[in-house]
Amino acid sequence: MPWMQLTPEPDILADLLRGIHTTGRVFARSELCARWVLRLQGATSAHFHAVEQGVCWLLLDDHPPFELRAGDVALLPTGGGHRLASHRSARGRAFAIPDPVTHTSTEAAMLRHDGPGDPTILVCGALRHAKGGVDAILGALPPVLIARGQDPHSQDPHSQDPRGEDPRSRWLIPTLQLLFDEVRQARPGAQLVVDRLSDTLFVQFVRDWILHGDHQAQGVLAGLRDSEVARALALMHRDPAGPWTVDALAQHAGLSRSRLAARFRELVGQSPHAYLMELRLRRSTTLITQGSLSLEQVASAVGYQSAAAFSKAFSRRFGVSPGRYTSEAA
């Protein structure tokens, strides 16, 4: 089904992606020969693994092995324990990679394992989302997304991978080339550039999968593919503080109240009211961390009649008060 862009404003996808508040960084660059296995801890942050040179296997429990070649990138939207290995049997010298979220160093680890055979060069990164960040998209994505690129060392920029050209290569190849160059050369300011490129890689990856992926959308992504439900979503995203009842949303969507409520729940997985409450609280996390508004102003901006009512709902959703949330996010 084609993507449905109903109006220039709001860009719901941009709103959802922006709400994830990702902080990307590369945490390891590895040059590995012979037999090897990288064991990655079960962090909840998103992970990506880009193959600069060579071939390897991505191994997850309850999934068949994924072969990755030079120019390919694998994204694990919700993280989890997994392994990268020189062989699908996962036998070889084992390296344990610490959880990049709890690892305090901002420097990327440089791993090297010498031995016979051609080397495999990997760049591994993590994309941590802030506490309370949006999981509407992350939870709707499959556990693994893979984009097939082209060998960045190929001398022929027009050569095609024998597996067939992935349409994502339009952005994947230049983005990876910049990422590999910055990680390898470590020039002044490289860490900032790498962090930004990691964020960009994530947004491009997720956006392209949503727009063009051959998949069955779930959650809010499924809602965006339905014209009436998407119209209701657009209204809530344009003005989350608005007095949106199911009756009002149904009138604008051109459906009966019962029909909109049933279709919304079927596609999005929750009622319009529950989605609106979550949207308001997600929006409030951005406002309170910016620090320019008082608690009363934040409450009003996201549709609450009082700061007390807002604080109660916020604490119930995130487990901390708005003030505590601000200090922890600083």
Side-chain angles (χ1 to χ4, degrees), residues 50-55 68-73 121 146-178 180 184:
V51 184
E52 182 176 357
Q53 180 178 327
V55 180
L68 302 176
R69 301 184 186 181
D72 293 349
V73 182
I121 301 177
I146 295 178
R148 303 295 184 183
Q150 292 173 318
D151 188 340
H153 299 289
S154 172
Q155 298 301 311
D156 181 2
H158 302 292
S159 65
Q160 294 190 9
D161 190 291
R163 295 163 292 176
E165 184 179 2
D166 190 320
R168 284 170 288 200
S169 63
R170 297 188 309 275
W171 56 261
L172 181 64
I173 293 172
T175 304
L176 282 184
Q177 189 64 65
L178 286 171
F180 293 150
R184 188 189 316 113

Side-chain angles (χ1 to χ4, degrees), residues 174-194:
T175 304
L176 282 184
Q177 189 64 65
L178 286 171
L179 180 66
F180 293 150
D181 287 347
E182 290 294 334
V183 173
R184 188 189 316 113
Q185 298 181 29
R187 293 172 292 190
Q191 188 61 55
L192 179 61
V193 175
V194 167

Side-chain angles (χ1 to χ4, degrees), residues 39-43 59-61 76 78-83:
R39 301 183 183 277
L40 295 106
Q41 306 300 319
L59 306 170
L60 297 86
D61 293 339
L76 288 78
T78 55
H82 54 285
R83 295 165 292 166

